[in-house]
């Protein structure tokens, strides 16, 4: 069975890269991934921390997810959507114990087919069920958090590694 790591706030450290490459069939980056070129079978979206080099690399190699990928969409056209930023008002995004989120993401969710929203940017892992939606924060990899996506089942499982 195929299993993919979903990561955000991923540091470019040899042991972190090795862990991901040894334990997963591929990677879906939810933004703020420092070195996607070292991760096997990487595809992802951009966050605010990526350099121009990473943006160009993802576009050139066609690894930038711009619409739909393995049942996930960035335009909220599928049942499961991915975004870097959390939606505002759903209480799923936290940085230094401060709730974060974007109104634009909330508006897109409320007018879409999406039922499950998976996002990066946040430090903590959480699952929030609100207004008929499930909002999942994968949490920061730098804190050991990631999610595992099983594309055949369209299933997401939160996970924490003890050291990376």
């Amino acid at each position: 069975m195929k299993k993919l790591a979903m990561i955000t706030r991923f540091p470019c450290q040899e042991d972190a890269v090795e862990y991901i490459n040894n334990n997963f069939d591929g990677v879906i980056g939810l933004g703020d991934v420092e070195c996607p070129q070292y991760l096997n079978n990487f595809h992802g979206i951009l966050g605010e921390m990526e350099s121009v080099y990473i943006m160009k690399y993802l576009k050139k190699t066609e690894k930038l997810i711009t619409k739909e990928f393995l049942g996930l969409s960035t335009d909220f056209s599928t049942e499961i959507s991915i975004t870097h930023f959390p939606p505002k008002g759903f209480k799923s995004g936290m940085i230094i114990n401060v709730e974060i989120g974007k109104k634009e993401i909330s508006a897109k969710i409320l007018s879409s087919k999406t039922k499950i929203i998976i996002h990066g940017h946040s430090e903590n892992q959480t699952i929030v069920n609100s207004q008929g939606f499930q909002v999942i924060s994968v949490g920061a990899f730098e804190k050991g958090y990631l999610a595992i996506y099983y594309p055949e089942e369209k299933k997401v499982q939160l996970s924490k590694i003890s050291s990376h």
Side-chain angles (χ1 to χ4, degrees), residues 4 8 101:
L4 305 173
T8 191

Side-chain angles (χ1 to χ4, degrees), residues 36-37 42-43 54-64:
Q37 68 274 25
F42 179 91
H43 290 80
I54 290 175
M55 180 184 68
K56 287 180 178 179
Y57 165 78
L58 293 177
K59 284 183 176 181
K60 181 180 178 184
T61 59
E62 299 181 352
K63 294 177 184 262
L64 182 64

Side-chain angles (χ1 to χ4, degrees), residues 29-43:
L30 298 177
D32 300 340
V33 176
E34 290 182 2
C35 54
Q37 68 274 25
Y38 298 126
L39 297 170
N40 295 339
N41 197 18
F42 179 91
H43 290 80

Side-chain angles (χ1 to χ4, degrees), residues 3-40:
K3 71 176 185 176
L4 305 173
M6 297 182 102
I7 57 173
T8 191
R9 297 183 62 167
F10 185 86
C12 194
Q13 297 172 342
E14 188 175 342
D15 58 343
V17 170
E18 187 175 295
Y19 175 83
I20 293 294
N21 286 341
N22 288 338
N23 290 285
F24 297 94
D25 299 308
V27 180
I28 297 173
L30 298 177
D32 300 340
V33 176
E34 290 182 2
C35 54
Q37 68 274 25
Y38 298 126
L39 297 170
N40 295 339

Side-chain angles (χ1 to χ4, degrees), residues 4 40 47 56 68-69 75 80 83 104 118 123 142 163:
L4 305 173
N40 295 339
K56 287 180 178 179
E68 196 173 328
F69 181 73
D75 63 357
I80 305 173
T83 178
E104 299 86 359
I118 305 165
E123 291 178 336
E142 63 198 12
S163 65

